[in-house]
Amino acid sequence: MDKKWLELLERLVNTDTGFDLDNSTKLERTQFIADILKDYGFQVHRESAAHVALKGKPPYLTLIGHLDTVFKEGEASRRPFTLQDNVARGPGVADMKGGAVLLVAVVEEATKKNLDGLCVILNVDEELGSKESRETFEKHAKESVCCLSFEPGGIHGELVASRKGIASLNIEVKGVKGHASRLEEGANAIVEASHKVCELYSLNGHIGSLTVNPTIMNGGEKSNITPDLCRIYCDVRFSSTQELKEFEKRLVEIVSENRIERTSCTYSLTERRPPMLFMDEMKYALEKVFQNLGRRFELEHSSGGADGAFFTTFGVPTLDGLGLCGGRFHSEEEFALIDSFKDRLRLAVELLECFDQRRSEKKVRE
């Protein structure tokens, strides 16, 4: 990894871009990355929670990544970038500031090879669910022929071929207040909610690969009052829209049948990210690239959601996990393996060239 890329990685890691900052602040703090893209001939501007850089005309070869982290303001000062032998550490060093540096290096190589029709999107709200930047991704997905995402690779070099979608489930159980010593006076919302939590959890393993995990439960007012309200939040992960539909069908049954008399239940189920699918066109491109490289990378299906899913929803072949390899993401032990840089760089550039050739062939046919 050349010195200039290490210096860029150090600067990025030592720039706080945590979830506790507003998006405009994070965009301002990372403007230096956008300025580097300008130096490569891109037209750069800001859209919803993202830096967007365009070079040439669509349809685009699109590269994406995020510049935000899960760490609070001050973490970079408390735990700045360090490098020992092959291992880099610091907040977000792998997820995914290392990937952002790799993306810029890919842009440099693509520029040297005179590749045109490039789109780069670097958002600052990915760790918050990309609520604002989703609009930006979907807009440019409609103009893309492929999407390469630079989330971190696995510790053994794995690429992410597909990902689960994410949905948020909020349940509200209402009961009746009463004196805690007189059970007949009240209708305990916490007890009813507990039944529903157990029923929901029992669905795991019965609807394809879908998982439902109750992670937050709040109820009760005082120790001597029967609670009349309890709220539950569940994290839901799914590999297909059909799985989510089947889950909601079972969910309706669970919330409509109450064990405790005089309780009632409502819910809201919101898709936060669609699943990222492994499309045939990306499979074929990878096979060609593996042959050119003379080596293969393992492919994995991830239970974690990411922004590449916004592209497969529009039929755009997408590959993720192209960033620096590493591990212990979202923790103080997070690390990135510097010696993975060279192979990831070559892999990404080969993929861009492959899709550029396909794009050219398609234009000729048209």
Side-chain angles (χ1 to χ4, degrees):
M1 192 172 182
D2 290 347
K3 181 181 177 182
K4 69 176 181 179
W5 301 127
L6 280 172
E7 290 176 346
L8 181 58
L9 178 58
E10 181 174 6
R11 183 177 179 183
L12 266 177
V13 171
N14 289 344
T15 301
D16 279 318
T17 52
F19 66 92
D20 55 339
L21 296 170
D22 61 76
N23 290 334
S24 61
T25 299
K26 288 182 279 189
L27 286 170
E28 286 293 336
R29 289 185 179 183
T30 56
Q31 180 61 38
F32 64 92
I33 289 289
D35 292 339
I36 293 173
L37 294 173
K38 287 181 183 179
D39 293 340
Y40 291 121
F42 283 78
Q43 297 295 316
V44 181
H45 63 282
R46 294 181 186 177
E47 295 186 22
S48 301
H51 299 289
V52 177
L54 302 174
K55 187 177 184 181
K57 298 180 179 180
Y60 292 115
L61 307 171
T62 299
L63 300 86
I64 68 171
H66 67 88
L67 298 169
D68 59 319
T69 74
V70 299
F71 301 100
K72 289 184 178 180
E73 177 81 346
E75 187 73 7
S77 297
R78 189 179 73 82
R79 194 166 51 86
F81 176 85
T82 62
L83 178 63
Q84 184 174 6
D85 298 325
N86 178 47
V87 181
R89 300 184 187 276
V93 67
D95 185 16
M96 59 153 280
K97 294 188 173 181
V101 172
L102 240 170
L103 185 155
V104 175
V106 170
V107 165
E108 181 179 83
E109 289 300 310
T111 301
K112 291 178 181 178
K113 293 176 178 291
N114 295 316
L115 287 179
D116 205 12
L118 298 174
C119 171
V120 174
I121 305 173
L122 292 167
N123 64 328
V124 294
D125 66 341
E126 193 273 347
E127 298 293 4
L128 297 172
S130 303
K131 294 178 182 178
E132 287 189 40
S133 59
R134 178 172 185 163
E135 175 185 347
T136 299
F137 287 119
E138 291 179 343
K139 170 186 172 182
H140 293 285
K142 297 173 184 177
E143 299 181 319
S144 300
V145 294
C146 72
C147 174
L148 304 185
S149 178
F150 290 80
E151 291 280 357
I155 192 169
H156 300 297
E158 300 91 339
L159 299 168
V160 179
S162 57
R163 290 182 179 273
K164 284 187 174 182
I166 306 174
S168 296
L169 172 60
N170 287 281
I171 296 176
E172 184 173 275
V173 179
K174 291 184 178 180
V176 179
K177 282 185 180 180
H179 195 289
S181 68
R182 304 183 185 98
L183 300 186
E184 72 283 357
E185 284 187 0
N188 196 311
I190 288 179
V191 175
E192 181 60 40
S194 299
H195 284 296
K196 297 193 186 307
V197 162
C198 292
E199 291 180 75
L200 286 167
Y201 198 75
S202 70
L203 295 178
N204 287 302
H206 295 283
I207 307 176
S209 63
L210 181 143
T211 59
V212 52
N213 197 4
T215 53
I216 302 174
M217 189 170 178
N218 293 312
E221 183 179 339
K222 293 181 67 177
S223 62
N224 60 352
I225 300 175
T226 297
D228 66 339
L229 181 64
C230 186
R231 293 188 174 95
I232 310 160
Y233 176 85
C234 298
D235 177 277
V236 181
R237 308 283 170 133
F238 58 99
S239 295
S240 69
T241 54
Q242 186 56 43
E243 287 183 356
L244 191 62
K245 287 179 181 177
E246 176 61 25
F247 170 71
E248 186 161 20
K249 180 181 177 181
R250 303 285 291 275
L251 173 63
V252 169
E253 295 173 357
I254 291 171
V255 300
S256 62
E257 297 176 3
N258 298 312
R259 305 285 190 90
I260 306 298
E261 291 186 5
R262 295 183 293 157
T263 61
S264 61
C265 182
T266 57
Y267 79 91
S268 65
L269 180 65
T270 305
E271 181 208 80
R272 291 168 49 205
R273 294 186 193 273
M276 189 186 100
L277 308 177
F278 192 31
M279 302 176 67
D280 287 342
E281 195 171 353
M282 182 57 74
K283 293 178 186 178
Y284 301 146
L286 270 176
E287 285 302 320
K288 181 178 179 180
V289 169
F290 288 162
Q291 290 177 14
N292 292 343
L293 295 176
R295 64 166 294 185
R296 304 182 70 84
F297 292 83
E298 292 297 319
L299 304 177
E300 66 177 14
H301 174 67
S302 174
S303 60
D307 294 328
F310 300 135
F311 287 79
T312 60
T313 298
F314 289 91
V316 179
T318 301
L319 186 68
D320 205 345
L322 284 160
L324 288 180
C325 298
R328 298 291 293 143
F329 314 128
H330 292 195
S331 78
E332 293 189 353
E333 289 78 41
E334 181 177 356
F335 64 91
L337 302 175
I338 298 303
D339 65 1
S340 63
F341 183 89
K342 184 177 179 180
D343 286 343
R344 312 304 267 193
L345 174 60
R346 187 180 173 197
L347 170 64
V349 173
E350 288 271 355
L351 278 169
L352 285 182
E353 290 184 300
C354 182
F355 278 101
D356 180 55
Q357 181 179 352
R358 291 187 177 214
R359 179 177 58 179
S360 298
E361 292 170 352
K362 185 177 180 180
K363 287 181 180 179
V364 170
R365 289 195 300 269
E366 293 175 348

